Amino acid sequence: MHIGDMQVTGVKLAFDSASGCYRLAAQVADGSVTVELRLPPILLQSLVLQSVALMPAVLPTVEVASEAEAVRLPARVLLHLDDRSMQALLREVSMDILNDFLWYMQDEALVVRVTDNLSQRAAAHLVEDMNGSWRGQCAPEAALTPYKLRGREAVGQVLALCERLVEQGSMADCFAHLRPAGGE
């Protein structure tokens, strides 16, 4: 594999059970440069899915409908959170980020799951905000790029918040199925 004029050798992906992250390391052929990334499982999955969407020839056995779907897919695990975990998440996330997240996700079942775990007043306020904002008027794929990016950032923020809550023990580990069994 080449990056510019440099030949890349020694690409390695390993799971670090101590940090709960995947370690991706690549080295230039002459050994002068080593690049290392540490990624939580959910971000690695998102990166892989986005890569497949942008470069379908890389892994033709994995199909993703669009780049937007590749961003949405990892967040769909939130549909399977227990009520206690969902409520822990909702206590921590701002309503603006939640609104952008739900708009970008385009998943009615997720909206219902979220509103079922809010107070009646908070749920009504969220639905009113969603219906009254620009988000209610336009699908993410048809939105201007700054709005799409805002939605994608909201997805990333919600997933990062989930990872933090899992680490703190405030939320069930909805990402456990993305980690290899038995460590490395």
Side-chain angles (χ1 to χ4, degrees):
M1 171 183 357
H2 286 80
I3 299 177
D5 294 335
M6 299 182 293
Q7 182 178 358
V8 177
T9 59
V11 176
K12 182 179 177 186
L13 178 65
F15 183 72
D16 178 17
S17 56
S19 67
C21 291
Y22 284 90
R23 187 177 144 269
L24 177 64
Q27 189 169 26
V28 174
D30 66 5
S32 62
V33 179
T34 300
V35 177
E36 182 176 307
L37 298 171
R38 290 189 180 275
L39 302 166
I42 196 70
L43 292 181
L44 179 63
Q45 181 186 24
S46 181
L47 178 64
V48 168
L49 291 171
Q50 289 176 48
S51 298
V52 169
L54 295 172
M55 301 176 290
V58 172
L59 292 171
T61 58
V62 178
E63 294 182 23
V64 179
S66 67
E67 185 180 353
E69 192 57 29
V71 172
R72 290 179 183 121
L73 189 61
R76 289 223 161 74
V77 299
L78 300 182
L79 283 166
H80 308 289
L81 286 178
D82 58 75
D83 289 344
R84 183 185 145 283
S85 296
M86 179 64 79
Q87 290 162 8
L89 172 65
L90 294 173
R91 278 192 297 275
E92 298 289 325
V93 70
S94 78
M95 281 298 193
D96 286 340
I97 291 172
L98 185 59
N99 196 346
D100 288 342
F101 169 78
L102 291 172
W103 167 75
Y104 193 81
M105 289 298 293
Q106 294 288 295
D107 189 328
E108 190 61 35
L110 190 56
V111 172
V112 170
R113 185 84 182 90
V114 166
T115 55
D116 283 351
N117 280 281
L118 290 171
S119 68
Q120 286 182 343
R121 188 176 64 93
H125 180 69
L126 178 64
V127 169
E128 182 180 321
D129 281 354
M130 287 172 49
N131 291 335
S133 68
W134 54 266
R135 297 169 203 87
Q137 309 303 317
C138 177
E141 288 80 3
L144 297 174
T145 300
Y147 299 135
K148 286 182 202 178
L149 292 176
R150 187 171 157 176
R152 287 182 187 173
E153 287 172 7
V155 172
Q157 289 171 323
V158 168
L159 291 175
L161 178 58
C162 288
E163 283 283 339
R164 183 172 59 83
L165 291 171
V166 166
E167 287 172 11
Q168 293 173 349
S170 303
M171 178 176 166
D173 190 355
C174 54
F175 307 116
H177 67 284
L178 300 175
R179 294 184 183 89
E184 298 227 23

